[in-house]
Amino acid sequence: MWRDGDFRRLWVGQTASQLGEHASLVVLPLFAVLTLDAGAGQLGVLRAVGQAPILLLSLLVGAWVDRWRARTVMVLTDVGRTLALGAAAVAGLFGWLGLPGLFVVAFTIGALSVFFDVAYQTSLVRLVRRDQLVRGNSALEGSRSAAQIGGPALGGALVSLLSAPVAAASGALFFALSFLSIRRIRRIESLPKSSERPPRIWRRIHEGLRFVVGDASLRTVCLASAAFQFSFAAVMTVYLLFLPRELHLSGTAVGLALAATGPGALLGSVLAARLPSRFGHGAVLVSAAILGDGVFLCVPALHGSPAVTVPALLAVNFVFGTAGQLVNVTVMAVRQALTPDGMQGRAAATITCAGMGLTPLGSLLGGFLAEEWGLRATLLVTAAGMMLSPVLMAMSPLARLGRELPQ
């Protein structure tokens, strides 16, 4: 697979894109705080504006991407994000960029990132054989995990060492690198055959929804993802309060504990290239979900000094990152194998929308329960709620998937 030059170009482009995206998630808020003196409320709005396209656009993007060449979509979005961050950097250097303009930049980058993410998931199916999907996803998800670790750190370092506008310009360079790599992909994608008058966008969205709902395995992926994301949003709301208030950890210790998820995700990507073909996709998927979700049940039991709790939290987050990434890669490969080429974008967008749509409600529920029941009890209940996800998978056809993916 790595001998395929097109796959290497996709991998380089996707890695650079993810670095630019995750760096910008730090650079833009720091730009608002350090350069524009934004308050907590304004910063919250900025982050929400950048995340809103996931919910607002995912289904529409999935329907559009299925009618376009994925390479074209990725190249255009890279150009758009390069120009958006570059314009923000120039405007910031001359003092022309205020909070309204920064909101526009954040929304633009968020919207274009939705297009890129759906397109690159679709493009892999068109570049590698079906029996190489797990290995291909493992490589791509491994680079994404590395970007999740290095991107925010790089963005913060650039803002600290240089300035927020210069850091924004550096982020634009990553998107430019992604553009230069992906535009060199030579393989010509064959678009699905369509009628002379293609169906309207809402009909295409409905077709994607109907396809996912009509397939028992994909329907379970949607339900399990929604259950996990809802509960995990509630857990994280409480978790970020539990560590400093109940365990009396410093900000540095909290950051160190959370950072362990990243190396775990890298290990999970490596394991995902080997374990499913050896033990079966269903067995790996269910067991990894049980391990990754269940490990959070240990957190409410932690007591004592930071010398005891920090190593335990490092272990919990490392296991969670490893198992969670193993689930993510395996689920993506299963979804790609079960979905026809002409439906890839819509299936990916439908599952993303279903999984992420309930996260705001989960966060609100976590905060409400914490006020009513206390942090420790709420953390236990919400962590137990995460176990619904592996239960749903264990009771579905996903659990019976073998070493070979369906054709």
Side-chain angles (χ1 to χ4, degrees):
M1 183 179 61
W2 284 104
R3 295 177 181 177
D4 188 329
D6 283 341
F7 178 79
R8 289 199 302 272
R9 295 178 188 105
L10 174 64
W11 181 84
V12 171
Q14 187 259 2
T15 302
S17 174
Q18 292 291 330
L19 277 171
E21 181 179 343
H22 288 284
S24 68
L25 292 177
V26 172
V27 170
L28 293 182
L30 289 179
F31 193 110
V33 172
L34 300 178
T35 305
L36 303 178
D37 296 320
Q42 293 169 319
L43 187 61
V45 172
L46 176 64
R47 288 178 57 83
V49 166
Q51 296 166 347
I54 298 175
L55 297 178
L56 298 178
L57 300 177
S58 291
L59 293 176
L60 290 171
V61 169
W64 285 326
V65 166
D66 277 335
R67 296 175 57 188
W68 299 338
R69 289 186 170 87
R71 173 186 175 276
T72 302
V73 174
M74 291 186 287
V75 166
L76 291 177
T77 54
D78 279 334
V79 170
R81 292 184 294 183
T82 301
L83 293 176
L85 267 185
V90 172
L93 287 172
F94 286 96
W96 299 337
L97 185 63
L99 274 176
L102 202 59
F103 290 158
V104 173
V105 172
F107 184 86
T108 300
I109 292 175
L112 292 174
S113 294
V114 171
F115 276 88
F116 185 94
D117 290 344
V118 172
Y120 97 76
Q121 293 181 48
T122 303
S123 68
L124 183 64
V125 181
R126 304 171 186 176
L127 288 178
V128 303
R129 301 191 309 268
R130 294 269 167 160
D131 60 354
Q132 294 179 320
L133 284 176
V134 172
R135 292 169 58 199
N137 279 311
S138 176
L140 293 177
E141 288 298 302
S143 68
R144 187 166 71 93
S145 299
Q148 288 175 336
I149 301 168
L154 177 63
L158 289 174
V159 172
S160 300
L161 296 175
L162 303 173
S163 67
V166 175
S170 301
L173 291 179
F174 282 109
F175 292 131
L177 175 61
S178 177
F179 160 78
L180 292 174
S181 180
I182 291 175
R183 71 184 295 270
R184 294 178 61 239
I185 293 177
R186 297 188 180 94
R187 187 167 304 174
I188 304 299
E189 302 173 36
S190 57
L191 293 177
K193 294 181 180 180
S194 58
S195 59
E196 294 183 1
R197 299 181 63 183
R200 293 183 178 181
I201 192 69
W202 297 113
R203 181 179 172 186
R204 293 178 60 79
I205 291 174
H206 179 261
E207 289 173 352
L209 290 169
R210 186 174 60 185
F211 172 77
V212 172
V213 172
D215 186 283
S217 294
L218 295 181
R219 183 170 64 245
T220 302
V221 169
C222 271
L223 294 174
S225 177
F228 170 79
Q229 294 293 350
F230 176 81
S231 299
F232 185 63
V235 165
M236 289 306 296
T237 301
V238 185
Y239 189 56
L240 294 175
L241 293 171
F242 179 80
L243 297 186
R245 295 185 182 179
E246 289 287 329
L247 300 185
H248 307 291
L249 299 183
S250 65
T252 302
V254 172
L256 178 64
L258 295 176
T261 304
L266 289 176
L267 176 60
S269 296
V270 174
L271 294 177
R274 296 172 173 82
L275 296 186
S277 60
R278 182 174 181 181
F279 299 105
H281 290 76
V284 169
L285 190 57
V286 174
S287 59
I290 291 173
L291 178 62
D293 297 349
V295 73
F296 261 97
L297 291 171
C298 303
V299 177
L302 294 178
H303 292 82
S305 68
V308 175
T309 57
V310 170
L313 288 169
L314 287 171
V316 166
N317 284 291
F318 182 83
V319 171
F320 175 75
T322 302
Q325 188 71 337
L326 187 53
V327 171
N328 290 340
V329 173
T330 307
V331 162
M332 188 178 296
V334 170
R335 191 265 301 163
Q336 290 169 337
L338 293 174
T339 305
D341 289 348
M343 195 68 70
Q344 289 286 343
R346 282 171 285 177
T350 299
I351 293 172
T352 297
C353 188
M356 300 299 294
L358 296 179
T359 52
L361 296 178
S363 297
L364 292 173
L365 178 65
F368 173 77
L369 294 180
E371 292 181 349
E372 297 294 323
W373 298 350
L375 295 175
R376 199 174 293 272
T378 301
L379 188 58
L380 178 62
V381 171
T382 53
M386 292 169 61
M387 297 302 295
L388 177 60
S389 178
V391 169
L392 288 171
M393 288 191 285
M395 297 172 61
S396 77
L398 286 174
R400 298 190 291 273
L401 291 175
R403 297 177 182 179
E404 299 292 333
L405 287 172
Q407 294 299 318

